Amino acid sequence: MKYLVLLGVLALAYALWRQQRRSPPPTHRASPPPPAAPQDMVACAHCGVHLPRDEAITIDARHYCCAEHQQRDAR
């Protein structure tokens, strides 16, 4: 009989211990923001690499990826 009581106490202790170890329920995460709108892409007149129009250096309707390529084509 005393082993049955001991087994019951151990089972109760184990159940309480497991309950405390459980992680809290996950909170609702905010949905990620929608992706940005696509940008117009242009090719560098010197090397041909494509980059967004906003990041390109534009001289006389020609687009360059950096000032060095613009200077090389200006020569």
Side-chain angles (χ1 to χ4, degrees):
M1 180 73 176
K2 72 177 180 181
Y3 291 114
L4 187 59
V5 172
L6 180 62
L7 182 63
V9 170
L10 289 176
L12 180 63
Y14 179 73
L16 290 173
W17 178 71
R18 289 279 296 176
Q19 187 177 16
Q20 289 178 352
R21 284 194 53 209
R22 286 189 184 157
S23 60
T27 57
H28 294 287
R29 295 181 184 162
S31 60
Q39 297 183 13
D40 290 335
M41 301 294 282
V42 294
C44 176
H46 181 77
C47 66
V49 71
H50 287 83
L51 66 155
R53 184 182 301 270
D54 295 344
E55 296 177 18
I57 300 170
T58 305
I59 307 290
D60 297 328
R62 295 184 71 176
H63 306 285
Y64 299 96
C65 62
C66 61
E68 181 181 348
H69 287 180
Q70 184 268 325
Q71 290 171 355
R72 285 186 180 181
D73 277 2
R75 295 181 197 167

